[in-house]
Amino acid sequence: MPASASPSDAARPPTLLVLDTDPLPRLGKLTGRARIEHADERTLAERLPSADVLLVWDFASHAVRAAWPGEGPRPRWVHTASAGVDHLMCPELAASDTVVTNARGVFDRPIAEYVAALVLSMAKDLPRTLELQRNRTWRHRESQRVAGTRACVVGAGPIGRAIVSTLKALGITAALVGRTPRTGVHGPDDLDRLIARADWVIAAAPLTEQTHGMFDARRFGMMQPSARFINIGRGQLVVEDALVEALTKHWIAGAALDVFEHEPLTPDSPLWQVPNLIVSPHMSGDTVGWRDELGAQFVELYERWEAGRSLPNVVDKQRGYVPGH
């Protein structure tokens, strides 16, 4: 059944299965309108066949990808409380009639603000200032003016567009690169040219076969020695060993990573001690109250689905993101 249709069995409320993580979503508004059940990584596979809707609240889990190919019917609609869908997509889900939606729109401005903070922090040498303060060392330095610099933002979805808008407010000339060229958006053929002259290269693309490992030794090698690289997209966009080499050999001036190939970073990860690298624990979009926003967004989507109305944020399961922008 398409997501635009209302549940067919009016005598029984639809079964909403939640892949849990703490704290649980606030779904009180759905009382009496959905039979809410809960699952974790161990129980998801056995409970999937009885669910009409699956809410992937634990968006760091890969349990859906593992459980989906099993026996029995599958939910007609899957919603993930995240912008990316790579953690749940598998060939069987991609080939099914199940509609997949994401949390598009919740994280745009917070991530853009975080990127702006990283740009200013690196330009003004704030990590060094804090280090010198801890050591009680008075060392005057000059910092960089960000107005008049150039940025290349890779990923033309709402997050990438919000980043461009925020950087422009700082006086930074920002070029946006997407999957296909269109008004205001460069195509992949322009990427190498743009990053070669950019002061700031920002990865905000979804993880797909085309973007996996796109920032490798070749691309870091063509950046300016004064350039800084920021990744708030997906960890697998970056070949981490190549970034470590680029920073260690001073091919680029600095980098900031909020996402990583394997999370969380282990204490013995070499990334903790790479020179001129800022490491943050996948928090760029997580502002105070973000979980409540995610829960409220899902309730709104559920009400649309329940009423037989079309859903926004529908993911193209072959491409791996919401198309049209």
Side-chain angles (χ1 to χ4, degrees):
M1 184 184 77
S4 59
S6 59
S8 58
D9 186 356
R12 164 184 82 79
T15 298
L16 166 60
L17 182 63
V18 183
L19 179 60
D20 284 340
T21 188
D22 290 328
L24 297 177
R26 297 182 180 180
L27 302 175
K29 288 186 67 175
L30 300 183
T31 300
R33 298 159 60 185
R35 179 187 301 169
I36 301 175
E37 299 182 355
H38 298 271
D40 56 22
E41 293 189 353
R42 295 177 296 103
T43 61
L44 180 64
E46 66 183 75
R47 297 186 179 178
L48 268 181
S50 63
D52 298 296
V53 179
L54 172 65
L55 169 57
V56 185
W57 190 247
D58 185 0
F59 52 79
S61 171
H62 295 274
V64 175
R65 185 190 298 169
W68 195 271
E71 297 293 329
R74 288 295 179 260
R76 296 167 288 180
W77 169 34
V78 173
H79 177 77
T80 179
S82 61
V85 298
D86 51 276
H87 59 290
L88 57 87
M89 202 58 65
C90 62
E92 292 81 3
L93 174 54
S96 72
D97 293 332
T98 296
V99 172
V100 176
T101 57
N102 70 355
R104 183 185 181 104
V106 172
F107 301 107
D108 309 352
R109 297 309 311 179
I111 291 178
E113 292 174 2
Y114 199 88
V115 169
L118 290 171
V119 167
L120 290 170
S121 176
M122 289 189 278
K124 304 307 177 184
D125 202 21
L126 293 185
R128 183 79 54 84
T129 295
L130 295 174
E131 180 182 355
L132 292 170
Q133 179 182 348
R134 284 191 295 270
N135 295 329
R136 303 187 181 191
T137 301
W138 182 279
R139 184 177 302 162
H140 180 269
R141 286 120 49 228
E142 295 178 344
S143 65
Q144 180 184 4
R145 179 182 294 184
V146 298
T149 59
R150 294 177 174 177
C152 175
V153 179
V154 184
I159 292 173
R161 297 199 304 274
I163 292 170
V164 167
S165 175
T166 303
L167 294 183
K168 286 183 176 179
L170 297 175
I172 299 173
T173 301
L176 188 60
V177 179
R179 183 175 182 267
T180 55
R182 51 199 183 275
T183 302
V185 179
H186 296 269
D189 291 344
D190 292 333
L191 178 58
D192 290 352
R193 173 179 61 84
L194 291 170
I195 67 173
R197 64 180 188 177
D199 301 289
W200 312 97
V201 178
I202 299 150
L207 180 61
T208 67
E209 291 183 5
Q210 291 73 32
T211 62
H212 191 285
M214 67 185 304
F215 290 101
D216 54 11
R218 182 183 72 84
R219 287 213 161 103
F220 288 125
M222 66 175 54
M223 295 180 191
Q224 300 184 78
S226 59
R228 273 90 166 210
F229 173 77
I230 297 171
N231 185 16
I232 49 78
R234 282 290 179 265
Q236 293 86 351
L237 301 178
V238 178
V239 179
E240 291 179 352
D241 288 345
L243 177 60
V244 170
E245 182 180 21
L247 290 168
T248 304
K249 294 183 177 179
H250 305 289
W251 295 353
I252 60 176
L257 299 179
D258 187 57
V259 288
F260 303 86
E261 184 175 3
H262 301 289
E263 298 181 8
L265 284 187
T266 58
D268 60 349
S269 171
L271 293 173
W272 291 111
Q273 298 184 3
V274 176
N276 299 315
L277 174 63
I278 297 174
V279 170
S280 60
H282 203 150
M283 58 179 283
S284 61
D286 302 346
T287 52
V288 175
W290 65 284
R291 291 183 177 88
D292 289 341
E293 288 187 55
L294 289 172
Q297 181 190 53
F298 174 74
V299 168
E300 181 180 343
L301 292 178
Y302 186 92
E303 290 174 343
R304 293 179 65 98
W305 179 79
E306 182 183 46
R309 300 166 60 194
S310 62
L311 291 174
N313 294 7
V314 175
V315 173
D316 183 319
K317 294 183 292 183
Q318 302 302 321
R319 297 182 183 181
Y321 56 88
V322 179
H325 296 280

